[in-house]
Amino acid sequence: HRDLHSFPTRRSSDLGRIHDMDLDVNTNTLYCGSDGGNIWKGNFNGSGWNCLNNNFRFEDINMIRVLPNGTGSRILVSTDKHLYYSDDEGVVWNESTGLAGPQDWGGIERAVVMNDSINTVFLLLQQWNYTSWQAEVCIYKSTNLGESFSS
């Protein structure tokens, strides 16, 4: 859980280019991850755009997905080393657990959400193996909408 009040405020001019986007098919709402590190939500007609993380910048967004979570939607945001999720339209962003491997060295190369009954999340990442002292490519899996991962 990140305290959103401890980060400097972002401006709409920080939007920059879009790294990734997703469509919530239940509400026909677009969610975009910008180069400026913000998550934007808006309508197809160009109205209603607002920033969902104005006080918390995501570094190097490589995936954004909106998934049904039983009571609404969960927003998943993958960055170079972390996966975050929010169940309340960005008021609170939680960091996924089980991804300690790439924190010291390496990072998330690709994130994929399966179209199965539980929206399984797979992360392809590179991390350092301190036993064999070399880089290794690993796949991590989450079966709880990105809350936790296992190798």
Side-chain angles (χ1 to χ4, degrees), residues 20-130:
D20 199 21
M21 56 96 39
D22 197 22
L23 169 66
D24 183 342
V25 295
N26 296 322
T27 63
N28 286 326
T29 303
L30 289 171
Y31 291 81
C32 300
S34 75
D35 188 46
N38 287 350
I39 305 301
W40 295 88
K41 173 186 172 184
N43 301 311
F44 283 125
N45 65 7
S47 68
W49 285 97
N50 59 27
C51 181
L52 301 183
N53 63 315
N54 207 25
N55 295 319
F56 175 59
R57 183 175 188 264
F58 292 108
E59 296 288 335
D60 300 319
I61 297 169
N62 59 36
M63 182 201 72
I64 180 170
R65 292 295 174 268
V66 181
L67 306 170
N69 68 359
T71 59
S73 295
R74 170 169 288 182
I75 305 167
L76 296 179
V77 177
S78 172
T79 67
D80 63 336
K81 294 188 181 285
H82 307 277
L83 191 130
Y84 298 94
Y85 63 93
S86 177
D87 292 321
D88 56 12
E89 293 293 309
V91 174
V92 174
W93 290 98
N94 299 289
E95 186 172 349
S96 299
T97 61
L99 297 174
Q103 298 308 308
D104 292 331
W105 186 93
I108 298 171
E109 302 292 326
R110 186 155 174 96
V112 175
V113 179
M114 302 299 294
N115 190 21
D116 59 10
S117 63
I118 59 171
N119 293 108
T120 304
V121 181
F122 287 100
L123 301 178
L124 176 68
L125 56 89
Q126 189 173 40
Q127 63 186 23
W128 192 257
N129 183 321
Y130 289 95

